[in-house]
């Protein structure tokens, strides 16, 4: 298989009802993951003065979680591929990250909070690639884009970007930020029980003769699509993490927005991405992955420009945030759908983790650190200009993608009339 070819589509092993339950539970679980991951960002206006954190500290905390998220995601996902026991790895990870939320609430200093975030990242990292590997094995390829979009974006954004800021800020205002962290640790235990009961480990896939037990970095990056997806991952993960880390601070400290209003504005991002989990991912099933990955990222410039230059109604600003955050709907495409349609499935969790890890290390780790330093030196507008640039660059890189959508591949294989 060359860098321009794509992997064959395997037939689904289960009925439609099981496919729906699988995607729903995995989406709910990933929602709890982001509820816990994002909790610190939305609670930062309360945490920062209490623990005497600088903007550089804020960036380091975001970077730390991304670092262990990336490393553990790659190593543990590869182990789950080799052991063919993705469900077991998934359950352990869920329980551990839930306990880490409680540890965050117990932190009394920057270093203790840093330790809790490092451990949380290690537990949460493998959840997304392992979950997508289950979706690839069980869901009809014709609906793969939509299924992966819902799995990664619906729960994560409804709970992590909408419910989290509204609920956690309200709890922090009433009972303190530590209580909010304690609450965030409970739902993960519930989802672990549901997954244990209702999701089965797919049967082991037969390996082709001569197939390797592992996928090397050289082999993975010999595929052009994996290179393109990894570069887009760096840029859009940077956009995502910087926005989460610094937009709440910009709104409250520069724009003078009340924390309660800030929580609703940030919650608008969750509504946008929740809708996008159907619209953007479903659109890619119909018109192809490449047009979506080229056009949608450019909408991301609306968000920082609106935050910096619009001074009217908060309702209008919420609309600006809604459309600006539409680029979030691209994440399942470059992190899961396109890679899974490019490389054979025995290594699917590994390659998805590789794309995710590249984005998390070079985007999630480095970008918030430098954005924090820029904010300390130039002010909180600096991170917003940084994400403006990333939105434009990612759309340009998408031009180099090779199309993988089944509907486009089927049309390409149709005989030309008259021949």
């Amino acid at each position: 298989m060359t860098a321009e070819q794509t992997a064959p589509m395997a037939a689904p092993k289960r009925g439609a009802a099981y496919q729906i339950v699988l995607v729903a539970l995995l989406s709910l679980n990933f929602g709890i993951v982001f509820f816990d991951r994002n909790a610190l960002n939305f609670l930062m206006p309360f945490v920062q003065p209490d623990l005497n954190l600088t903007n550089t500290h804020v960036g380091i905390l975001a970077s730390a979680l991304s670092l262990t998220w990336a490393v553990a995601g790659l190593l543990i996902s590869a182990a789950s591929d080799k052991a063919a026991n993705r469900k077991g790895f998934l359950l352990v990870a869920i329980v551990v990250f839930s306990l880490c939320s409680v540890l965050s609430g117990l932190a009394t200093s920057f270093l203790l909070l840093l330790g809790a975030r490092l451990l949380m990242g290690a537990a949460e990292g493998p959840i997304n690639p392992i979950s997508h590997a289950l979706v690839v094995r069980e869901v009809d390829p014709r609906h793969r884009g939509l299924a992966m979009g819902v799995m990664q974006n619906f729960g994560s954004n409804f709970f992590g970007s909408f419910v989290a800021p509204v609920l956690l800020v309200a709890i922090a205002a009433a009972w303190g930020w530590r209580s909010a962290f304690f609450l965030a640790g409970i739902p993960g235990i519930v989802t672990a029980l549901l997954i244990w009961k209702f999701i089965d480990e797919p049967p082991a896939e037969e390996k082709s003769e001569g197939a390797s037990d592992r996928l090397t970095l050289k082999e993975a990056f010999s595929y052009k699509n994996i290179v393109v997806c990894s570069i887009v991952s760096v840029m859009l993960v940077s956009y995502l993490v910087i926005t989460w880390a610094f937009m709440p601070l910009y709104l409250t400290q520069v724009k003078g927005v009340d924390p309660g209003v800030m929580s609703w504005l940030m919650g608008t991002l969750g509504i946008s991405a929740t809708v996008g989990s159907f619209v953007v991912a479903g659109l890619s099933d119909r018109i192809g992955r490449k047009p979506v990955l080229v056009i949608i990222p450019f909408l991301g410039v609306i968000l920082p420009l609106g935050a910096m230059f619009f001074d009217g109604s908060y309702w209008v600003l919420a609309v600006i945030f809604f459309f600006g955050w539409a680029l979030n709907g691209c994440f399942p495409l470059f992190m899961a759908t396109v890679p899974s349609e490019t490389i054979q499935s025995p290594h699917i969790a590994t390659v998805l983790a590789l794309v995710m890890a590249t984005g998390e290390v070079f985007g999630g780790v480095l970008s918030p650190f430098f954005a924090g330093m820029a904010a300390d030196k130039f002010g909180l507008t600096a991170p917003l200009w940084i994400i403006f640039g990333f939105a434009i660059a990612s759309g340009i890189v998408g031009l180099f993608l090779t199309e993988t959508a089944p509907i486009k591949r089927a049309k390409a294989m149709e005989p030309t009339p008259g021949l």
Side-chain angles (χ1 to χ4, degrees):
M1 181 180 291
T2 70
E4 308 303 322
Q5 295 174 320
T6 53
M9 301 294 172
K13 305 296 193 299
R14 305 275 186 161
Y18 180 81
Q19 293 179 40
I20 292 172
V21 171
L22 173 74
V23 173
L25 283 181
L26 293 177
S27 181
L28 172 63
N29 181 62
F30 203 52
I32 304 306
V33 167
F34 267 78
F35 189 93
D36 286 1
R37 174 173 183 165
N38 288 349
L40 181 60
N41 300 315
F42 301 128
L43 295 173
M44 190 56 73
F46 301 91
V47 177
Q48 187 178 40
D50 193 22
L51 298 185
N52 297 315
L53 304 179
T54 66
N55 288 323
T56 301
H57 285 146
V58 174
I60 290 173
L61 288 168
S63 299
L65 186 143
S66 292
L67 176 62
T68 52
W69 177 295
V71 174
L74 184 57
L75 295 178
I76 296 176
S77 296
S80 75
D81 275 342
K82 185 175 182 180
N85 183 21
R86 297 183 176 103
K87 178 180 175 180
F89 280 88
L90 188 63
L91 291 174
V92 172
I94 296 170
V95 173
V96 174
F97 84 69
S98 299
L99 296 177
C100 289
S101 182
V102 177
L103 292 178
S104 297
L106 296 173
T108 56
S109 68
F110 167 71
L111 290 178
L112 290 176
L113 186 57
L114 178 63
R117 302 302 286 180
L118 286 167
L119 185 56
M120 176 176 282
E124 292 180 342
I127 289 178
N128 188 40
I130 290 176
S131 297
H132 276 306
L134 292 171
V135 172
V136 169
R137 291 295 309 277
E138 304 287 16
V139 174
D140 191 322
R142 295 173 299 173
H143 309 299
R144 182 176 290 158
L146 177 60
M148 288 182 155
V150 171
M151 197 296 296
Q152 182 168 336
N153 269 11
F154 182 81
S156 64
N157 287 286
F158 181 76
F159 292 104
S161 297
F162 174 61
V163 175
V166 175
L167 180 61
L168 293 174
V169 170
I171 293 173
W175 296 295
W177 62 268
R178 297 182 188 279
S179 297
F181 273 118
F182 298 151
L183 170 70
I186 297 174
I189 303 301
V190 176
T191 58
L193 292 173
L194 292 174
I195 289 173
W196 173 75
K197 182 172 178 61
F198 293 107
I199 292 181
D200 299 326
E201 176 69 31
E205 186 170 3
E206 295 183 5
K207 295 182 180 179
S208 59
E209 186 177 350
S212 174
D213 288 334
R214 58 191 294 269
L215 183 71
T216 66
L217 291 178
K218 182 179 179 180
E219 290 170 337
F221 284 119
S222 69
Y223 295 82
K224 185 183 70 173
N225 275 357
I226 302 305
V227 176
V228 172
C229 287
S230 296
I231 295 173
V232 173
S233 181
V234 171
M235 295 177 177
L236 292 189
V237 168
S238 297
Y239 186 105
L240 200 75
V241 176
I242 292 173
T243 301
W244 283 335
F246 294 100
M247 187 63 77
L249 297 176
Y250 180 85
L251 291 173
T252 55
Q253 296 181 14
V254 178
K255 301 283 284 190
V257 176
D258 178 81
V261 176
M262 175 276 292
S263 71
W264 281 102
L265 286 172
M266 294 301 294
T268 302
L269 306 183
I271 299 175
S272 172
T274 301
V275 174
S277 68
F278 292 97
V279 176
V280 177
L283 186 64
S284 78
D285 281 336
R286 293 180 175 273
I287 70 171
R289 319 302 185 201
K290 183 174 181 176
V292 172
L293 284 172
V294 170
I295 297 170
I296 298 300
F298 285 105
L299 292 177
V301 304
I302 299 173
L303 180 64
L305 292 179
M308 289 187 288
F309 299 114
F310 182 78
D311 294 318
S313 166
Y314 289 140
W315 289 103
V316 178
L317 185 58
V319 173
I320 293 173
F321 273 36
F322 179 90
F323 285 102
W325 200 244
L327 60 70
N328 192 269
C330 296
F331 272 69
L333 298 181
F334 65 78
M335 277 194 173
T337 309
V338 173
S340 71
E341 292 170 342
T342 300
I343 290 186
Q344 57 184 329
S345 59
H347 302 299
I348 191 61
T350 304
V351 74
L352 300 191
L354 178 61
V355 174
M356 179 198 72
T358 303
E360 289 287 350
V361 170
F362 295 102
V365 175
L366 298 179
S367 64
F369 174 73
F370 287 113
M373 294 179 62
D376 279 332
K377 186 171 183 178
F378 302 108
L380 284 167
T381 57
L384 273 62
W385 282 115
I386 292 172
I387 65 173
F388 174 88
F390 280 132
I392 294 175
S394 60
I396 294 173
V397 173
L399 290 168
F400 296 93
L401 192 75
T402 297
E403 185 61 70
T404 63
I407 188 171
K408 290 290 187 177
R409 293 175 57 208
K411 290 182 178 180
M413 295 175 63
E414 291 178 357
T416 303
L419 295 180

